[in-house]
PDB file of all heavy atoms in Angstrom:
ATOM      1  N   GLY A 151     -93.924  67.366 -73.883  1.00  0.00           N
ATOM      2  CA  GLY A 151     -93.970  65.909 -73.801  1.00  0.00           C
ATOM      3  C   GLY A 151     -94.498  65.364 -72.484  1.00  0.00           C
ATOM      4  O   GLY A 151     -94.521  64.161 -72.279  1.00  0.00           O
ATOM      5  N   GLY A 152     -94.940  66.245 -71.574  1.00  0.00           N
ATOM      6  CA  GLY A 152     -95.518  65.803 -70.307  1.00  0.00           C
ATOM      7  C   GLY A 152     -96.909  65.221 -70.523  1.00  0.00           C
ATOM      8  O   GLY A 152     -97.464  65.268 -71.625  1.00  0.00           O
ATOM      9  N   LYS A 153     -97.485  64.682 -69.484  1.00  0.00           N
ATOM     10  CA  LYS A 153     -98.832  64.115 -69.564  1.00  0.00           C
ATOM     11  C   LYS A 153     -99.858  65.243 -69.460  1.00  0.00           C
ATOM     12  O   LYS A 153     -99.718  66.138 -68.636  1.00  0.00           O
ATOM     13  CB  LYS A 153     -99.071  63.136 -68.425  1.00  0.00           C
ATOM     14  CG  LYS A 153     -98.172  61.936 -68.454  1.00  0.00           C
ATOM     15  CD  LYS A 153     -98.384  61.088 -67.213  1.00  0.00           C
ATOM     16  CE  LYS A 153     -97.380  59.950 -67.164  1.00  0.00           C
ATOM     17  NZ  LYS A 153     -97.487  59.207 -65.904  1.00  0.00           N
ATOM     18  N   ILE A 154    -100.907  65.176 -70.300  1.00  0.00           N
ATOM     19  CA  ILE A 154    -102.037  66.092 -70.172  1.00  0.00           C
ATOM     20  C   ILE A 154    -103.033  65.421 -69.239  1.00  0.00           C
ATOM     21  O   ILE A 154    -103.430  64.281 -69.457  1.00  0.00           O
ATOM     22  CB  ILE A 154    -102.699  66.401 -71.525  1.00  0.00           C
ATOM     23  CG1 ILE A 154    -101.717  67.107 -72.461  1.00  0.00           C
ATOM     24  CG2 ILE A 154    -103.958  67.249 -71.331  1.00  0.00           C
ATOM     25  CD1 ILE A 154    -101.278  68.477 -71.997  1.00  0.00           C
ATOM     26  N   LEU A 155    -103.416  66.133 -68.180  1.00  0.00           N
ATOM     27  CA  LEU A 155    -104.307  65.595 -67.167  1.00  0.00           C
ATOM     28  C   LEU A 155    -105.654  66.312 -67.212  1.00  0.00           C
ATOM     29  O   LEU A 155    -105.713  67.518 -67.449  1.00  0.00           O
ATOM     30  CB  LEU A 155    -103.682  65.762 -65.781  1.00  0.00           C
ATOM     31  CG  LEU A 155    -102.293  65.154 -65.604  1.00  0.00           C
ATOM     32  CD1 LEU A 155    -101.730  65.520 -64.242  1.00  0.00           C
ATOM     33  CD2 LEU A 155    -102.322  63.657 -65.793  1.00  0.00           C
ATOM     34  N   GLU A 156    -106.713  65.563 -66.955  1.00  0.00           N
ATOM     35  CA  GLU A 156    -108.053  66.137 -66.874  1.00  0.00           C
ATOM     36  C   GLU A 156    -108.407  66.291 -65.407  1.00  0.00           C
ATOM     37  O   GLU A 156    -108.362  65.339 -64.649  1.00  0.00           O
ATOM     38  CB  GLU A 156    -109.066  65.216 -67.544  1.00  0.00           C
ATOM     39  CG  GLU A 156    -110.487  65.724 -67.416  1.00  0.00           C
ATOM     40  CD  GLU A 156    -111.523  64.731 -67.909  1.00  0.00           C
ATOM     41  OE1 GLU A 156    -111.223  63.537 -68.004  1.00  0.00           O
ATOM     42  OE2 GLU A 156    -112.649  65.178 -68.179  1.00  0.00           O
ATOM     43  N   SER A 157    -108.752  67.513 -64.989  1.00  0.00           N
ATOM     44  CA  SER A 157    -109.235  67.746 -63.627  1.00  0.00           C
ATOM     45  C   SER A 157    -110.699  68.162 -63.727  1.00  0.00           C
ATOM     46  O   SER A 157    -111.302  68.084 -64.789  1.00  0.00           O
ATOM     47  CB  SER A 157    -108.385  68.797 -62.918  1.00  0.00           C
ATOM     48  OG  SER A 157    -108.590  70.068 -63.496  1.00  0.00           O
ATOM     49  N   ASP A 158    -111.258  68.639 -62.637  1.00  0.00           N
ATOM     50  CA  ASP A 158    -112.674  68.993 -62.658  1.00  0.00           C
ATOM     51  C   ASP A 158    -112.984  70.216 -63.515  1.00  0.00           C
ATOM     52  O   ASP A 158    -114.069  70.330 -64.063  1.00  0.00           O
ATOM     53  CB  ASP A 158    -113.209  69.183 -61.238  1.00  0.00           C
ATOM     54  CG  ASP A 158    -112.462  70.249 -60.471  1.00  0.00           C
ATOM     55  OD1 ASP A 158    -111.304  70.553 -60.817  1.00  0.00           O
ATOM     56  OD2 ASP A 158    -113.027  70.792 -59.514  1.00  0.00           O
ATOM     57  N   LYS A 159    -112.030  71.151 -63.695  1.00  0.00           N
ATOM     58  CA  LYS A 159    -112.317  72.379 -64.429  1.00  0.00           C
ATOM     59  C   LYS A 159    -111.435  72.619 -65.645  1.00  0.00           C
ATOM     60  O   LYS A 159    -111.681  73.547 -66.404  1.00  0.00           O
ATOM     61  CB  LYS A 159    -112.180  73.582 -63.492  1.00  0.00           C
ATOM     62  CG  LYS A 159    -113.207  73.600 -62.398  1.00  0.00           C
ATOM     63  CD  LYS A 159    -113.082  74.827 -61.556  1.00  0.00           C
ATOM     64  CE  LYS A 159    -114.121  74.783 -60.449  1.00  0.00           C
ATOM     65  NZ  LYS A 159    -114.050  75.928 -59.574  1.00  0.00           N
ATOM     66  N   GLN A 160    -110.383  71.815 -65.809  1.00  0.00           N
ATOM     67  CA  GLN A 160    -109.471  72.095 -66.913  1.00  0.00           C
ATOM     68  C   GLN A 160    -108.700  70.858 -67.358  1.00  0.00           C
ATOM     69  O   GLN A 160    -108.677  69.846 -66.673  1.00  0.00           O
ATOM     70  CB  GLN A 160    -108.486  73.196 -66.508  1.00  0.00           C
ATOM     71  CG  GLN A 160    -107.575  72.810 -65.358  1.00  0.00           C
ATOM     72  CD  GLN A 160    -106.711  73.962 -64.900  1.00  0.00           C
ATOM     73  OE1 GLN A 160    -106.654  75.001 -65.544  1.00  0.00           O
ATOM     74  NE2 GLN A 160    -106.011  73.793 -63.811  1.00  0.00           N
ATOM     75  N   TYR A 161    -108.062  71.002 -68.523  1.00  0.00           N
ATOM     76  CA  TYR A 161    -107.095  70.042 -69.031  1.00  0.00           C
ATOM     77  C   TYR A 161    -105.753  70.755 -68.917  1.00  0.00           C
ATOM     78  O   TYR A 161    -105.607  71.884 -69.393  1.00  0.00           O
ATOM     79  CB  TYR A 161    -107.376  69.695 -70.490  1.00  0.00           C
ATOM     80  CG  TYR A 161    -108.774  69.168 -70.735  1.00  0.00           C
ATOM     81  CD1 TYR A 161    -109.771  69.991 -71.231  1.00  0.00           C
ATOM     82  CD2 TYR A 161    -109.094  67.839 -70.484  1.00  0.00           C
ATOM     83  CE1 TYR A 161    -111.047  69.507 -71.472  1.00  0.00           C
ATOM     84  CE2 TYR A 161    -110.369  67.348 -70.711  1.00  0.00           C
ATOM     85  CZ  TYR A 161    -111.338  68.190 -71.208  1.00  0.00           C
ATOM     86  OH  TYR A 161    -112.599  67.708 -71.436  1.00  0.00           O
ATOM     87  N   VAL A 162    -104.761  70.121 -68.292  1.00  0.00           N
ATOM     88  CA  VAL A 162    -103.521  70.834 -67.994  1.00  0.00           C
ATOM     89  C   VAL A 162    -102.330  69.884 -68.070  1.00  0.00           C
ATOM     90  O   VAL A 162    -102.448  68.694 -67.775  1.00  0.00           O
ATOM     91  CB  VAL A 162    -103.622  71.507 -66.598  1.00  0.00           C
ATOM     92  CG1 VAL A 162    -103.758  70.474 -65.498  1.00  0.00           C
ATOM     93  CG2 VAL A 162    -102.468  72.433 -66.331  1.00  0.00           C
ATOM     94  N   CYS A 163    -101.178  70.417 -68.456  1.00  0.00           N
ATOM     95  CA  CYS A 163     -99.946  69.633 -68.489  1.00  0.00           C
ATOM     96  C   CYS A 163     -99.485  69.367 -67.055  1.00  0.00           C
ATOM     97  O   CYS A 163     -99.604  70.233 -66.192  1.00  0.00           O
ATOM     98  CB  CYS A 163     -98.859  70.385 -69.251  1.00  0.00           C
ATOM     99  SG  CYS A 163     -97.277  69.500 -69.316  1.00  0.00           S
ATOM    100  N   GLN A 164     -98.956  68.175 -66.831  1.00  0.00           N
ATOM    101  CA  GLN A 164     -98.479  67.825 -65.490  1.00  0.00           C
ATOM    102  C   GLN A 164     -97.345  68.734 -65.028  1.00  0.00           C
ATOM    103  O   GLN A 164     -97.080  68.861 -63.837  1.00  0.00           O
ATOM    104  CB  GLN A 164     -98.009  66.373 -65.445  1.00  0.00           C
ATOM    105  CG  GLN A 164     -96.717  66.129 -66.197  1.00  0.00           C
ATOM    106  CD  GLN A 164     -96.260  64.687 -66.139  1.00  0.00           C
ATOM    107  OE1 GLN A 164     -97.054  63.791 -65.957  1.00  0.00           O
ATOM    108  NE2 GLN A 164     -94.978  64.484 -66.318  1.00  0.00           N
ATOM    109  N   ASN A 165     -96.659  69.401 -65.954  1.00  0.00           N
ATOM    110  CA  ASN A 165     -95.536  70.274 -65.601  1.00  0.00           C
ATOM    111  C   ASN A 165     -95.944  71.731 -65.398  1.00  0.00           C
ATOM    112  O   ASN A 165     -95.097  72.588 -65.208  1.00  0.00           O
ATOM    113  CB  ASN A 165     -94.454  70.173 -66.679  1.00  0.00           C
ATOM    114  CG  ASN A 165     -93.930  68.767 -66.804  1.00  0.00           C
ATOM    115  OD1 ASN A 165     -93.705  68.088 -65.810  1.00  0.00           O
ATOM    116  ND2 ASN A 165     -93.767  68.300 -68.027  1.00  0.00           N
ATOM    117  N   HIS A 166     -97.237  72.003 -65.437  1.00  0.00           N
ATOM    118  CA  HIS A 166     -97.755  73.349 -65.166  1.00  0.00           C
ATOM    119  C   HIS A 166     -97.835  73.534 -63.650  1.00  0.00           C
ATOM    120  O   HIS A 166     -98.357  72.687 -62.949  1.00  0.00           O
ATOM    121  CB  HIS A 166     -99.142  73.509 -65.788  1.00  0.00           C
ATOM    122  CG  HIS A 166     -99.736  74.856 -65.584  1.00  0.00           C
ATOM    123  ND1 HIS A 166     -99.407  75.930 -66.365  1.00  0.00           N
ATOM    124  CD2 HIS A 166    -100.628  75.307 -64.677  1.00  0.00           C
ATOM    125  CE1 HIS A 166    -100.073  76.979 -65.957  1.00  0.00           C
ATOM    126  NE2 HIS A 166    -100.827  76.632 -64.931  1.00  0.00           N
ATOM    127  N   ARG A 167     -97.301  74.612 -63.144  1.00  0.00           N
ATOM    128  CA  ARG A 167     -97.292  74.876 -61.703  1.00  0.00           C
ATOM    129  C   ARG A 167     -97.949  76.215 -61.413  1.00  0.00           C
ATOM    130  O   ARG A 167     -97.772  77.179 -62.139  1.00  0.00           O
ATOM    131  CB  ARG A 167     -95.864  74.920 -61.157  1.00  0.00           C
ATOM    132  CG  ARG A 167     -95.084  73.649 -61.358  1.00  0.00           C
ATOM    133  CD  ARG A 167     -95.550  72.585 -60.374  1.00  0.00           C
ATOM    134  NE  ARG A 167     -94.818  71.364 -60.545  1.00  0.00           N
ATOM    135  CZ  ARG A 167     -95.261  70.299 -61.206  1.00  0.00           C
ATOM    136  NH1 ARG A 167     -96.440  70.312 -61.747  1.00  0.00           N
ATOM    137  NH2 ARG A 167     -94.534  69.220 -61.323  1.00  0.00           N
ATOM    138  N   VAL A 168     -98.698  76.242 -60.309  1.00  0.00           N
ATOM    139  CA  VAL A 168     -99.320  77.474 -59.828  1.00  0.00           C
ATOM    140  C   VAL A 168     -99.046  77.557 -58.337  1.00  0.00           C
ATOM    141  O   VAL A 168     -99.317  76.619 -57.594  1.00  0.00           O
ATOM    142  CB  VAL A 168    -100.847  77.474 -60.079  1.00  0.00           C
ATOM    143  CG1 VAL A 168    -101.471  78.749 -59.570  1.00  0.00           C
ATOM    144  CG2 VAL A 168    -101.139  77.292 -61.548  1.00  0.00           C
ATOM    145  N   GLN A 169     -98.467  78.690 -57.905  1.00  0.00           N
ATOM    146  CA  GLN A 169     -98.165  78.898 -56.491  1.00  0.00           C
ATOM    147  C   GLN A 169     -98.471  80.336 -56.122  1.00  0.00           C
ATOM    148  O   GLN A 169     -98.425  81.221 -56.961  1.00  0.00           O
ATOM    149  CB  GLN A 169     -96.689  78.634 -56.198  1.00  0.00           C
ATOM    150  CG  GLN A 169     -96.270  77.201 -56.365  1.00  0.00           C
ATOM    151  CD  GLN A 169     -94.792  77.035 -56.058  1.00  0.00           C
ATOM    152  OE1 GLN A 169     -93.980  77.867 -56.418  1.00  0.00           O
ATOM    153  NE2 GLN A 169     -94.449  75.950 -55.389  1.00  0.00           N
ATOM    154  N   ARG A 170     -98.742  80.540 -54.843  1.00  0.00           N
ATOM    155  CA  ARG A 170     -98.916  81.907 -54.332  1.00  0.00           C
ATOM    156  C   ARG A 170     -97.546  82.475 -53.973  1.00  0.00           C
ATOM    157  O   ARG A 170     -96.737  81.812 -53.347  1.00  0.00           O
ATOM    158  CB  ARG A 170     -99.791  81.918 -53.081  1.00  0.00           C
ATOM    159  CG  ARG A 170    -101.248  81.791 -53.367  1.00  0.00           C
ATOM    160  CD  ARG A 170    -102.016  82.065 -52.079  1.00  0.00           C
ATOM    161  NE  ARG A 170    -103.371  81.637 -52.207  1.00  0.00           N
ATOM    162  CZ  ARG A 170    -104.369  82.458 -52.507  1.00  0.00           C
ATOM    163  NH1 ARG A 170    -104.149  83.730 -52.686  1.00  0.00           N
ATOM    164  NH2 ARG A 170    -105.585  82.001 -52.622  1.00  0.00           N
ATOM    165  N   ASP A 171     -97.335  83.743 -54.356  1.00  0.00           N
ATOM    166  CA  ASP A 171     -96.101  84.401 -53.933  1.00  0.00           C
ATOM    167  C   ASP A 171     -96.310  85.025 -52.551  1.00  0.00           C
ATOM    168  O   ASP A 171     -97.367  84.867 -51.945  1.00  0.00           O
ATOM    169  CB  ASP A 171     -95.644  85.425 -54.968  1.00  0.00           C
ATOM    170  CG  ASP A 171     -96.639  86.553 -55.192  1.00  0.00           C
ATOM    171  OD1 ASP A 171     -97.559  86.725 -54.364  1.00  0.00           O
ATOM    172  OD2 ASP A 171     -96.499  87.259 -56.193  1.00  0.00           O
ATOM    173  N   GLN A 172     -95.324  85.734 -52.042  1.00  0.00           N
ATOM    174  CA  GLN A 172     -95.397  86.288 -50.684  1.00  0.00           C
ATOM    175  C   GLN A 172     -96.489  87.335 -50.536  1.00  0.00           C
ATOM    176  O   GLN A 172     -97.012  87.528 -49.457  1.00  0.00           O
ATOM    177  CB  GLN A 172     -94.045  86.885 -50.297  1.00  0.00           C
ATOM    178  CG  GLN A 172     -92.983  85.820 -50.137  1.00  0.00           C
ATOM    179  CD  GLN A 172     -91.625  86.416 -49.845  1.00  0.00           C
ATOM    180  OE1 GLN A 172     -91.395  87.594 -50.069  1.00  0.00           O
ATOM    181  NE2 GLN A 172     -90.715  85.587 -49.359  1.00  0.00           N
ATOM    182  N   SER A 173     -96.849  87.999 -51.638  1.00  0.00           N
ATOM    183  CA  SER A 173     -97.906  89.008 -51.562  1.00  0.00           C
ATOM    184  C   SER A 173     -99.298  88.412 -51.727  1.00  0.00           C
ATOM    185  O   SER A 173    -100.282  89.133 -51.691  1.00  0.00           O
ATOM    186  CB  SER A 173     -97.661  90.089 -52.618  1.00  0.00           C
ATOM    187  OG  SER A 173     -97.760  89.526 -53.910  1.00  0.00           O
ATOM    188  N   GLY A 174     -99.389  87.082 -51.938  1.00  0.00           N
ATOM    189  CA  GLY A 174    -100.676  86.425 -52.051  1.00  0.00           C
ATOM    190  C   GLY A 174    -101.205  86.292 -53.465  1.00  0.00           C
ATOM    191  O   GLY A 174    -102.300  85.791 -53.676  1.00  0.00           O
ATOM    192  N   HIS A 175    -100.437  86.745 -54.456  1.00  0.00           N
ATOM    193  CA  HIS A 175    -100.857  86.637 -55.847  1.00  0.00           C
ATOM    194  C   HIS A 175    -100.432  85.285 -56.412  1.00  0.00           C
ATOM    195  O   HIS A 175     -99.416  84.730 -56.034  1.00  0.00           O
ATOM    196  CB  HIS A 175    -100.230  87.755 -56.690  1.00  0.00           C
ATOM    197  CG  HIS A 175    -100.703  89.105 -56.301  1.00  0.00           C
ATOM    198  ND1 HIS A 175    -100.039  89.897 -55.384  1.00  0.00           N
ATOM    199  CD2 HIS A 175    -101.792  89.811 -56.681  1.00  0.00           C
ATOM    200  CE1 HIS A 175    -100.680  91.021 -55.230  1.00  0.00           C
ATOM    201  NE2 HIS A 175    -101.755  91.004 -55.996  1.00  0.00           N
TER     202      HIS A 175
END
């Protein structure tokens, strides 16, 4: 039920998160 957002390369849910872990992945 979150908002779908359009960015320059993708369409993604506002609740999608991407982070680097301590090893850089």
Side-chain angles (χ1 to χ4, degrees):
K153 297 174 186 174
I154 297 295
L155 304 174
E156 177 188 20
S157 69
D158 58 337
K159 294 183 181 179
Q160 64 186 350
Y161 304 100
V162 64
C163 179
Q164 71 180 25
N165 299 318
H166 181 81
R167 300 285 180 260
V168 180
Q169 293 180 320
R170 282 190 194 262
D171 62 15
Q172 292 176 342
S173 64
H175 295 93

